[in-house]
Amino acid sequence: MVEAQSWTTRRMSNPRFDAAATTTPTVIDIPGTPPHSSASSNGKPFFLSSPTVSPSVLTAAIIAAWFGSNIGVLLLNKYLLFYYGFRYPIFLTMTHMLSCAAYSSAVINIAGIVPRQHILSRRQFLKILALSAIFCLSVVCGNTSLRYIPVSFNQAIGATTPFFTAVFSFLITCKTESTEVYLALLPVVSGIVLASNSEPSFHLFGFLICVASTAGRALKSVVQGIILTSESEKLHSMNLLLYMAPMAACILLPFTLYIEGNVLRILIEKARTDPLIIFLLAGNATVAYLVNLTNFLVTKHTSALTLQVLGNGKAAVAAGVSGLIFRNPVTVMGVAGFGVTIMGVVLYSEARKRSKLLNQK
């Protein structure tokens, strides 16, 4: 149950320069998939096939767009939920899902960025529905946490995803990693403990719900690796988003109506006096889709490893940018804890890479 709903911005609060809270972004965590053939004649979608743009410039532009969309959706979520006074995180998440469904349909069916794949069986449909439910839990919790904790703290908690992935992999599949991989997780956890103890804007509920969001993101990744194992059932990331987004919106609809009440009526009344809310929600939903599109484009034009490295850097950049915009207080110990967590994530990635190479020999 979300806290009492009000459209009034907190008293004595500047919507642009006050202290912030967090999270993940609703960032929708859609995994990378194998290379594909495009519908265009030269193997690229029409908007990426200009002969006048060099590959290096195109790649740099895509990476810049990736940073802008990932950080932008975090800042917009924070502004809407904390400063603007929009107290409806479930409804906000539902708009993200509807946006992803609409844009995915256009990008696949009209732009032809990837070939259209179809759900082939009721079994496959139920598997995707299960993933959508986990997906909803993760995104709603992440968006809700932004009402209570700063973006920087939210990103520090989100960086612990590898820890939860390792835990769920062991609990669900009994998969074990090398000792080196488990040791690399120690700084991941210790860093967030250090950051939590020294966080000036610490909020227990915000912290717990952000941890739930991070755990949900890891659980989705593990479950997806289990239930979509058949070659006939595997979907390209953009096709998976095409089917998951409307399912997620349908799941969220009864919850937003029950928990958040007459949000549609309140939104219409608010729009009559302040049309800015419509532009904020539409822009926020569009940027939420761009996060997924740029994830795919970065992987296509570079590699999955590059996307992982950029993800580590994004957390630090987002924390810094949010601090400059919202002026949320930080401490030396908090920054140190965040740094330790990021270092642990890098060590974990390197340890897993070495472990995979050893297993291949």
Side-chain angles (χ1 to χ4, degrees):
M1 187 75 71
V2 298
E3 90 180 22
Q5 301 151 355
S6 169
W7 283 98
T8 305
T9 305
R10 293 191 177 187
R11 199 173 286 178
M12 303 303 292
S13 172
N14 186 314
R16 290 180 176 83
F17 298 107
D18 274 1
T22 64
T23 167
T24 126
T26 122
V27 65
I28 301 172
D29 183 21
I30 301 296
T33 50
H36 62 280
S37 60
S38 173
S40 64
S41 59
N42 62 355
K44 294 183 181 180
F46 68 90
F47 54 86
L48 294 177
S49 56
S50 173
T52 61
V53 180
S54 69
S56 58
V57 172
L58 180 60
T59 300
I62 290 172
I63 291 175
W66 182 88
F67 269 105
S69 59
N70 275 268
I71 296 173
V73 76
L74 280 169
L75 300 181
L76 281 170
N77 285 345
K78 178 64 178 176
Y79 177 76
L80 277 166
L81 293 168
F82 186 78
Y83 294 108
Y84 189 80
F86 188 82
R87 310 297 188 189
Y88 308 99
I90 302 177
F91 179 82
L92 181 66
T93 305
M94 190 176 72
T95 65
H96 290 181
M97 301 305 164
L98 292 173
S99 171
C100 287
Y103 281 117
S104 294
S105 179
V107 163
I108 293 175
N109 296 323
I110 299 176
I113 191 171
V114 296
R116 174 72 181 265
Q117 294 173 286
H118 298 278
I119 296 178
L120 302 177
S121 65
R122 182 173 178 270
R123 175 186 174 89
Q124 186 184 19
F125 172 85
L126 292 175
K127 289 179 177 181
I128 297 174
L129 182 63
L131 287 177
S132 300
I134 301 173
F135 181 52
C136 287
L137 171 67
S138 174
V139 178
V140 168
C141 288
N143 284 339
T144 303
S145 70
L146 280 173
R147 292 186 56 191
Y148 303 98
I149 59 176
V151 173
S152 54
F153 191 34
N154 168 265
Q155 289 297 285
I157 297 171
T160 61
T161 301
F163 168 77
F164 290 102
T165 302
V167 170
F168 285 128
S169 293
F170 177 75
L171 293 177
I172 298 175
T173 68
C174 297
K175 178 183 177 181
T176 58
E177 301 284 356
S178 65
T179 303
E180 182 185 11
V181 171
Y182 287 126
L183 288 176
L185 291 172
L186 291 178
V188 173
V189 177
S190 58
I192 200 60
V193 170
L194 182 62
S196 300
N197 288 334
S198 57
E199 173 57 50
S201 305
F202 182 84
H203 190 287
L204 180 60
F205 177 73
F207 170 77
L208 292 176
I209 204 165
C210 190
V211 169
S213 172
T214 305
R217 191 160 56 244
L219 177 62
K220 175 186 169 294
S221 176
V222 173
V223 171
Q224 181 170 318
I226 297 172
I227 66 178
L228 292 181
T229 54
S230 169
E231 286 297 326
S232 62
E233 292 183 337
K234 286 184 179 179
L235 294 174
H236 188 279
S237 60
M238 301 303 290
N239 279 279
L240 183 59
L241 179 62
L242 173 67
Y243 294 116
M244 282 182 58
M247 291 182 188
C250 291
I251 293 172
L252 291 172
L253 179 59
F255 286 97
T256 189
L257 292 176
Y258 177 75
I259 297 175
E260 297 176 333
N262 52 355
V263 57
L264 285 176
R265 181 182 62 81
I266 296 174
L267 177 61
I268 293 172
E269 292 177 355
K270 177 65 176 177
R272 289 173 180 169
T273 58
D274 185 10
L276 177 63
I277 183 61
I278 300 300
F279 292 99
L280 286 173
L281 289 175
N284 182 254
T286 298
V287 175
Y289 172 72
L290 291 177
V291 169
N292 298 280
L293 178 61
T294 54
N295 279 346
F296 158 68
L297 292 176
V298 167
T299 304
K300 174 180 172 62
H301 287 266
T302 57
S303 66
L305 179 60
T306 300
L307 184 64
Q308 188 177 39
V309 173
L310 290 175
N312 296 335
K314 183 266 296 183
V317 175
V321 172
S322 68
L324 292 174
I325 294 177
F326 298 121
R327 308 290 184 183
N328 52 287
V330 295
T331 64
V332 174
M333 293 299 290
V335 173
F338 192 7
V340 170
T341 296
I342 296 297
M343 180 192 70
V345 172
V346 174
L347 292 175
Y348 170 82
S349 300
E350 292 297 318
R352 285 210 63 191
K353 207 165 30 170
R354 285 192 291 268
S355 179
K356 285 182 179 179
L357 291 174
L358 289 174
N359 290 335
Q360 290 174 356
K361 291 181 179 180

